[in-house]
Amino acid sequence: MASGSSAGAGFTILRNRIGSGGSGDSIEPTSPGSPGATPRYVWDESDGHQYIKDYASAGININYLGFLNEPDYTTSYSSMLSSGTQAADFIKVLHPALAAAGLGSVGINCCDMVGWNDQVTATAQLISAGVESMISRITSHGYSSDPTTTMKTSRPTWMTEKETTDAWNGNWYSSGSASDGYTWANNIYTAIVSGGVSAYFYWEGIEVTTNNAGLIQISGTTVNPSGRLWAYAQWSRSVRPGAVRIATFGAPSGVKTSAFKNVDGTVSVQVINTNSGSTAVQVTTTGFSATGAQAYVTSQSNIAVTSLSATLSGDTINTTVPGYGMATLILTGGGSSGGGGSTTVDSPPTTTAPSNGATQTQWGQCAGQGWTGPTSCASPYTCHYSNDYYSQCY
């Protein structure tokens, strides 16, 4: 789970729970008696009992503070229902209270609704109530709906919680199930490219469990990392804090791409192959002169993040991504400053037909999750991506 870019998952954000369930689970286990009474905070250096100033005394700075958890969901455990309008009333109190306590640098997050569409509604209410400028991050969970469209706000948006609770699955790609690592690589891609998020959290990093509540399972004395962990690693290792997304153009049929300019000057390009067979890709850059390239791959036959062969000739990088695999290319060099530049991902000039020589006819399927038929089209047709499950020759 290391935070660096060369080991573990490369995570850079820790989301920590502040309990509210009484003794053993709360920063204030005993009621002070009235709203105006002195709080009776308890500090025992346990995660469940820490709060901002106590973390600071231990040398750990809290950068963001959220005060709600799925406030549109009625539960049996301690919780609080709230709309965006009601949350705004509290933010008008919390924002000046943080400043008065010398914690004005701590950003306020809101509101962790159950799903993205629910948060869209809450965000509109926050803006209508005039508190958008008091908020640092708009946050949402992804249970009832995923981030597939951008939130209408000037604030950065985070997807702060999602998991799958089917039986433990450590695979990268088995059948395209909800808990496959490949599925989560695509979830993150959609949330970033279509939803515009700048952070994407899983429920728990490590868990003693028989389901998929954690990215890593502890079973007795055995530690089992999942394919989902390496899906996160593909993004977290190469898209570092402060990175700016840059444009991508083109792509072979069935290939998804994104690219980012990191603050250290490197450009990272993410390539997800939704085809069942290996796909050759060629990456070129505009406004950035690549002088070095490293590639890393994850697939069912390689459930980790390991080096992938890639060749650099001029400003062109060539590599091959396994079927249902994900590769990241890290480009070093120079060019435009800031967020300038772009990348083009395309098929190499020459292509190789499937080993059985079969080609698909016009309008026939040529790619998609689970597809085992021809992946090349009869001339003069080419394979066009429609969705993760279907591409067609025309």
Side-chain angles (χ1 to χ4, degrees), residues 342-353:
S342 65
T343 62
T344 300
V345 183
D346 211 339
S347 299
T350 58
T351 59
T352 303

Side-chain angles (χ1 to χ4, degrees), residues 1-4 9-14 63 198-199 201 236-237 239-241:
M1 310 296 281
S3 61
F11 291 157
T12 55
I13 303 174
L14 173 64
N63 297 312
S198 55
F201 296 65
S236 295
R237 283 192 186 185
V239 184
R240 304 302 293 167

Side-chain angles (χ1 to χ4, degrees), residues 264-279:
D264 65 359
T266 60
V267 169
S268 70
V269 182
Q270 296 73 40
V271 181
I272 300 177
N273 183 10
T274 71
N275 300 311
S276 59
S278 296
T279 301

Side-chain angles (χ1 to χ4, degrees), residues 1-24:
M1 310 296 281
S3 61
S5 58
S6 61
F11 291 157
T12 55
I13 303 174
L14 173 64
R15 178 173 178 251
N16 209 38
R17 177 175 181 270
I18 299 176
S20 59
S23 181

Side-chain angles (χ1 to χ4, degrees), residues 129-154:
V131 298
E132 185 180 25
S133 63
M134 301 180 188
I135 298 170
S136 179
R137 300 290 186 272
I138 296 293
T139 55
S140 175
H141 294 179
Y143 292 113
S144 60
S145 56
D146 293 313
T148 57
T149 58
T150 56
M151 196 81 66
K152 293 181 179 179
T153 175
S154 63

Side-chain angles (χ1 to χ4, degrees), residues 102-268:
L103 300 170
S105 63
V106 177
I108 297 174
N109 292 354
C110 195
C111 301
D112 284 336
M113 295 292 180
V114 171
W116 192 255
N117 293 340
D118 305 311
Q119 186 60 48
V120 167
T121 300
T123 298
Q125 293 171 339
L126 293 170
I127 294 172
S128 178
V131 298
E132 185 180 25
S133 63
M134 301 180 188
I135 298 170
S136 179
R137 300 290 186 272
I138 296 293
T139 55
S140 175
H141 294 179
Y143 292 113
S144 60
S145 56
D146 293 313
T148 57
T149 58
T150 56
M151 196 81 66
K152 293 181 179 179
T153 175
S154 63
R155 305 288 89 183
T157 53
W158 287 0
M159 206 296 295
T160 48
E161 185 182 314
K162 189 172 181 179
E163 64 171 324
T164 174
T165 56
D166 50 332
W168 172 255
N169 176 15
N171 287 298
W172 170 259
Y173 181 88
S174 56
S175 60
S177 78
S179 52
D180 279 352
Y182 168 83
T183 300
W184 283 81
N186 281 277
N187 290 344
I188 298 170
Y189 172 88
T190 300
I192 291 174
V193 172
S194 299
V197 307
S198 55
Y200 193 100
F201 296 65
Y202 200 82
W203 165 231
E204 292 181 329
I206 303 174
E207 178 65 276
V208 179
T209 182
T210 57
N211 61 29
N212 297 295
L215 295 171
I216 298 173
Q217 178 199 51
I218 304 297
S219 179
T221 58
T222 303
V223 178
N224 299 313
S226 69
R228 298 181 305 283
L229 174 73
W230 301 116
Y232 274 83
Q234 282 281 2
W235 293 96
S236 295
R237 283 192 186 185
S238 66
V239 184
R240 304 302 293 167
V244 177
R245 188 174 161 221
I246 58 177
T248 58
F249 302 94
S253 175
V255 172
K256 299 177 179 179
T257 64
S258 61
F260 294 83
K261 182 77 172 288
N262 285 304
V263 294
D264 65 359
T266 60
V267 169
S268 70

